[in-house]
Amino acid sequence: MGISGVSGTSARELAAATPATRDRYVDLLRVASLGVVVLGHWLMAAVTTDGSVGNLLAVVPGLQVVTWALQVMPVFFFVGGFSHALAHRSRPRYAAFLRARLQRLLRPTMVFVAVWGAVALVVQLLGADEGLAGVALRLVTQPLWFIGVYLAMVALTPPLLRLHERWGWGAFAALAGGAVAVDVLRFAFGVPFVAFLNFAFVWLAVHQLGFLRADGMIRLPGALAAGGLLGAGLLVALGPYPLSMVGMPGEKVSNMAPPTLALLCHGLWLVGAVELLRGPGARFAARAGVWHKVVVANGIAMTAFLWHLTAMLGVYGTLLAFDVRLPEPASAAWWAQVPLRIAAGAVLTALLAAAFRRFEQPAAPAPGASTVGAGGPLAALGITLALFGVLGLSMVGFGGLLEGRSATLIAVEVTAPAAVAMALAGWLFVERAGRGRAT
């Protein structure tokens, strides 16, 4: 997931000790992309005095065009591909690679799930799951879809990296071609369920671009950006694709869930754009003060991402608890309060990150442990269980926990307890397989 960041003196020491060969721009992109996602979520939340949570982009449809700049998850997945390529080449054994990549992902995620699971149980036992509290129980787990997709990328890095090393751009083209075929079958022929294949084709194609960057094979970023922007524009203007690059409530077609060819084109233009900025971006990241902040931020990035919706809902919950009347979303008063709400959300997120950041730090290896003979099959089973558990929980949420509320995950009904059990078992399997045996 990037730098093993710590705060204070240790962060300064780590920043000062960074080798000159490290691609600091990649770390800057990782932090910046997650920061934009958090900011976007805070801006889109349209909370009213009755505790309901709407979407600002639905209230003001004209703002949907800003998602072409603020929907930057493709940049994070692109950076992930770059990092995974380097990590796997330095640690080729599958189980050891998985454990090393997932420690800073699954440990803070499972702590987040445990805390919110306990809160949900207490809230529902007290019968207090109405209004904003009930919305929170459903909403806070939704960003876990990103964790699930990222788990799939980590799991599939070894075979996809081999395809990249053999075919280069051809491997990317095959994945992009799969996305095209899926959308043709979906929109031209109405084939049911085929759209869900694009969760793999679209996001893995973006991830594959990270492999290409790792080997210096993105030589015409301007053409990539222009081609992606033109493609997305034409698809939205002439095809069945919506303008928004994030999901909208009640829409028949979403570019995000499942992902579409338009979202892939959007990803291409973003990747091309950040690559065009690589020179000035690298010089900016090389500044001592900037790099120190990047190191600190990388050390808490996943924790902050997991808890940022909790912080946002905490701000609104506090306002409602003190009977503060919230202005109508998108009104002049609402816009005037945006800086204050974001500042309050940032402070609360920082406090939550400070409380839970220790779970994001990599665990020290066991004395005498070796990855010789480590269990690749056990690791593969573990990451599969974790992936389905996290995705299932992102869909079902913690609302209706006592009533056995379920959601459909690939034709299977999943409840929150079952999803948590799968994620926990998967994490433990990956940890066990990756430790190897004592020598």
Side-chain angles (χ1 to χ4, degrees), residues 45-54 129-139 312-313 316-321 324-327 329:
V47 182
T48 56
T49 304
D50 64 359
S52 63
V53 180
D129 54 339
E130 299 294 332
L132 189 61
V135 172
L137 297 183
R138 298 190 302 272
L139 190 63
M312 180 197 78
L313 293 166
Y316 281 110
T318 300
L319 292 173
L320 294 177
V324 176
R325 185 170 182 81
L326 300 177

Side-chain angles (χ1 to χ4, degrees), residues 21-281:
T21 54
R22 185 177 183 94
D23 194 330
R24 302 183 188 202
Y25 183 49
V26 166
D27 293 294
L28 175 64
L29 288 177
R30 180 184 294 109
V31 170
S33 59
L34 280 184
V36 170
V37 170
V38 169
L39 180 62
H41 285 168
W42 285 345
L43 283 172
M44 286 192 299
V47 182
T48 56
T49 304
D50 64 359
S52 63
V53 180
N55 190 317
L56 178 65
L57 300 179
V59 178
V60 188
L63 290 177
Q64 292 178 20
V65 69
V66 304
T67 63
W68 289 49
L70 295 182
Q71 170 50 291
V72 292
M73 270 304 182
V75 174
F76 189 90
F77 291 146
F78 164 66
V79 169
F82 174 87
S83 300
H84 295 159
L86 300 185
H88 186 260
R89 286 166 176 168
S90 67
R91 196 187 299 261
R93 295 196 65 85
Y94 189 62
F97 165 74
L98 287 188
R99 182 172 186 262
R101 300 309 295 171
L102 297 186
Q103 270 195 334
R104 294 187 58 211
L105 185 68
L106 284 181
R107 290 175 74 232
T109 299
M110 295 312 302
V111 170
F112 170 82
V113 167
V115 171
W116 262 106
V119 169
L121 186 59
V122 171
V123 167
Q124 290 175 72
L125 284 172
L126 294 176
D129 54 339
E130 299 294 332
L132 189 61
V135 172
L137 297 183
R138 298 190 302 272
L139 190 63
V140 292
T141 63
Q142 288 184 7
L144 293 180
W145 74 265
F146 151 78
I147 306 290
V149 171
Y150 202 80
L151 286 171
M153 290 174 173
V154 175
L156 294 173
T157 286
L160 290 178
L161 186 58
R162 286 194 292 271
L163 290 176
H164 157 75
E165 289 168 347
R166 181 171 181 180
W167 300 107
W169 276 98
F172 165 81
L175 290 167
V180 172
V182 164
D183 272 15
V184 169
L185 293 172
R186 175 186 181 184
F187 294 118
F189 299 99
V191 177
F193 306 116
V194 70
F196 293 97
L197 291 175
N198 266 353
F199 276 109
F201 286 131
V202 169
W203 289 128
L204 289 177
V206 173
H207 187 248
Q208 204 80 8
L209 290 171
F211 296 167
L212 291 162
R213 186 192 193 278
D215 289 338
M217 297 175 69
I218 301 180
R219 300 187 180 94
L220 297 172
L224 191 66
L229 191 58
L230 178 61
L234 289 174
L235 288 169
V236 169
L238 304 176
Y241 304 93
L243 174 65
S244 175
M245 290 298 163
V246 301
M248 297 295 299
E251 62 186 355
K252 292 183 178 180
V253 176
S254 167
N255 281 320
M256 273 290 293
T260 64
L261 181 60
L263 184 64
L264 176 56
C265 289
H266 172 70
L268 293 179
W269 107 256
L270 285 179
V271 168
V274 298
E275 282 296 281
L276 282 172
L277 296 173
R278 184 172 179 176

Side-chain angles (χ1 to χ4, degrees), residues 9 19 44 136 166 210 226 236 257 273 294 305 326 364 374 394 406:
T9 303
M44 286 192 299
R166 181 171 181 180
V236 169
V294 170
F305 175 79
L326 300 177
S394 75
S406 65

